[in-house]
Amino acid sequence: MNSSDRYQVVGGQPLQGEVPISGAKNAALPILAAALLSPAETVIHATPAIRDIGVMIAILQRLGAAVDVLDESETGRTLRIRADGLMTPEVGSAFTREMRSSIFLMGPLLARTGLVRIAYPGGCAIGSRPIDFHLRGLEQMGATIKEEHGFIEAEAPGGLVGTELYLDFPSVGATENLMMAAVLAKGTTVIRNAAREPEIVDLAEFCNKLGARIQGAGHDLIQIDGVDRLPALTGVEHAVIPDRIETATYLCAAAITGGDLTLTGVRANQVVAVSAKLGEMGAQIDTAGDRMRIRGPKRPRAADVKTLPYPGYPTDAQPQLMAVLAMANGTSIITETVFENRLQVAGELKRLGAQVRTEGRTAVIKGVERLTGATVVCPALREGMALVLAGLAAEGQTVIDGILHVDRGYHHLEQKLQAVGAQIERV
């Protein structure tokens, strides 16, 4: 993989076959960070082989943790981590500029060592994602925080202290970071208006296996009873949950190409908002156990959608739906309530013939009968995937530049798509 890689996609072929769903990127990243809370050896299954995970592994190794890849499967890699020899609490900009999820390291490092120095995080340019909630919560738990020279430095030499926290917005990242910080705090921490995403539940389950005492994950009130230290257990194992955004993406892939896909290893109850919306648009979806079958309509019907925190329609699956709506019969409206720049893929979809008008956080999409191939550029991770989907449906060849963004989030993307009939090639 390098920065000049691009996808060449020849569209017009309905996708057919089975797609195995990998472990969730947004669950694996905070779980890897949480492994720093304990000196115990942890084995984590189904971590997707994607760019962001590679960056997080490099950060853990830089901090002094030992990380080994034990094996790899359709759902991801099995990693073994041992963090009994942390050497430094500093995470430099070479790592953080590439991945916003590096901010997850603040909570566990501060809790474990009493000190963390981390460069301001980067990531996709999808809008303002302030870390104020993270910093304010850590300050309320007793940390002293300084921001200078592009770094955030937090100290709690006497340890963090449990308290009652309220989030102005149910931020997933802040909920996870503060939850991890509270694991080793003195006393009890309560997080109110906490985010409810499945990835938070998965993180709590992992931390509890390590010896933490977390209750209420998945609800808007989470209670963490701090412990003095996590025991140096051996053989702590955890399997990351299936990626609900990858699931949503392949559901959209079947819908936009009029395909027939069976997704395996899914948790259908975590993508209800997406499957309900695609059903409204004419897709036929059947679920049996951990399998979902979707048969896309000949042409989707128009629909309106508004992104919301879980269990509402996920912002991370909104660009993919915009691509589907670009070919729908009728006019659709998307209202984006989470990230103000999340509609930016509209400009690239227009190059393929889509009729999209945006104003503020609203997009009006007048569906066209066909898209035509062109050269486009990925503005960000999910937006780049939306362009891949549009290319799969467009007539002729679509060239997609900037695909390192897409590498950040999808395990074995080309192989999975090629296995179900897509003509896609990395060059």
Side-chain angles (χ1 to χ4, degrees):
M1 301 177 190
N2 62 64
S3 58
S4 63
D5 284 4
R6 52 173 50 184
Y7 281 139
Q8 288 181 349
V9 182
V10 178
Q13 181 69 32
L15 303 185
Q16 295 184 329
E18 286 195 359
V19 179
I21 297 301
S22 305
K25 161 188 180 284
N26 291 335
L29 288 168
I31 285 172
L32 292 180
L36 297 178
L37 285 167
S38 170
E41 180 177 288
T42 56
V43 175
I44 305 169
H45 303 283
T47 59
I50 56 175
R51 190 174 179 86
D52 274 10
I53 295 292
V55 173
M56 183 61 87
I57 290 172
I59 293 174
L60 296 183
Q61 292 172 329
R62 174 73 178 82
L63 294 170
V67 184
D68 299 302
V69 179
L70 300 183
D71 61 43
E72 184 170 341
S73 68
E74 292 178 328
T75 59
R77 294 172 174 167
T78 295
L79 302 180
R80 181 175 58 208
I81 302 171
R82 190 167 191 96
D84 55 349
L86 295 183
M87 297 183 299
T88 174
E90 181 170 310
V91 183
S93 60
F95 295 116
T96 62
R97 75 164 63 98
E98 193 168 339
M99 185 184 67
R100 183 174 182 82
S101 298
S102 55
I103 195 68
F104 290 134
L105 294 158
M106 284 197 73
L109 278 175
L110 187 59
R112 175 95 181 269
T113 69
L115 174 67
V116 61
R117 189 168 186 265
I118 188 166
Y120 274 97
C124 285
I126 56 175
S128 174
R129 293 188 283 180
I131 58 175
D132 299 1
F133 298 153
H134 303 245
L135 303 186
R136 186 165 68 236
L138 293 173
E139 284 181 323
Q140 289 176 265
M141 295 171 71
T144 301
I145 295 175
K146 293 189 297 185
E147 300 177 60
E148 57 185 11
H149 307 303
F151 276 83
I152 305 164
E153 186 173 298
E155 290 184 289
L160 296 171
V161 179
T163 188
E164 189 151 320
L165 305 172
Y166 176 82
L167 300 179
D168 292 334
F169 178 83
S171 161
V172 176
T175 299
E176 292 172 331
N177 218 348
L178 297 174
M179 189 169 73
M180 288 187 282
V183 165
L184 296 176
K186 298 179 180 71
T188 297
T189 300
V190 174
I191 305 174
R192 297 186 183 276
N193 198 31
R196 300 164 56 192
E197 273 71 2
E199 294 80 10
I200 292 168
V201 178
D202 204 31
L203 174 62
E205 290 180 358
F206 174 73
C207 290
N208 286 342
K209 288 179 181 178
L210 291 175
R213 296 189 294 177
I214 301 172
Q215 302 176 67
H219 302 278
D220 61 2
L221 189 149
I222 300 175
Q223 178 176 309
I224 308 100
D225 295 317
V227 297
D228 291 336
R229 62 185 178 84
L230 296 178
L233 303 170
T234 57
V236 174
E237 291 197 37
H238 185 79
V240 175
I241 60 172
D243 196 320
R244 62 192 174 94
I245 304 303
E246 185 186 34
T247 302
T249 298
Y250 284 106
L251 291 174
C252 287
I256 198 170
T257 64
D260 184 347
L261 292 180
T262 297
L263 313 184
T264 63
V266 304
R267 293 192 182 179
N269 64 319
Q270 296 178 355
V271 290
V272 169
V274 177
S275 56
K277 186 57 61 176
L278 290 173
E280 178 186 330
M281 294 164 60
Q284 183 177 339
I285 302 174
D286 301 298
T287 301
D290 67 350
R291 299 167 67 88
M292 293 182 74
R293 181 183 182 189
I294 175 169
R295 282 164 280 188
K298 186 174 182 181
R299 185 181 181 192
R301 294 191 290 267
D304 296 342
V305 65
K306 181 178 184 179
T307 62
L308 292 166
Y310 187 84
Y313 193 93
T315 182
D316 278 358
Q318 179 265 104
Q320 301 90 309
L321 190 70
M322 183 186 289
V324 182
L325 293 173
M327 297 185 66
N329 185 10
T331 299
S332 307
I333 297 174
I334 293 176
T335 305
E336 172 59 55
T337 72
V338 182
F339 295 129
E340 67 269 23
N341 292 343
R342 191 94 269 183
L343 302 174
Q344 62 185 321
V345 75
E348 297 301 310
L349 288 173
K350 288 179 182 179
R351 298 178 188 274
L352 300 172
Q355 295 186 23
V356 187
R357 179 170 54 85
T358 62
E359 183 173 338
R361 292 179 178 238
T362 302
V364 179
I365 306 116
K366 184 178 180 182
V368 297
E369 289 192 21
R370 66 188 183 101
L371 299 173
T372 54
T375 297
V376 292
V377 179
C378 294
L381 166 56
R382 307 303 176 182
E383 290 76 358
M385 193 63 226
L387 295 174
V388 172
L389 298 185
L392 291 172
E395 293 183 1
Q397 178 174 278
T398 299
V399 176
I400 306 165
D401 284 322
I403 62 172
L404 286 186
H405 283 299
V406 181
D407 290 335
R408 291 184 46 233
Y410 290 92
H411 177 79
H412 291 175
L413 176 64
E414 303 104 278
Q415 297 93 320
K416 289 185 181 184
L417 287 173
Q418 289 164 358
V420 292
Q423 294 186 52
I424 181 171
E425 179 183 10
R426 179 189 290 263
V427 296

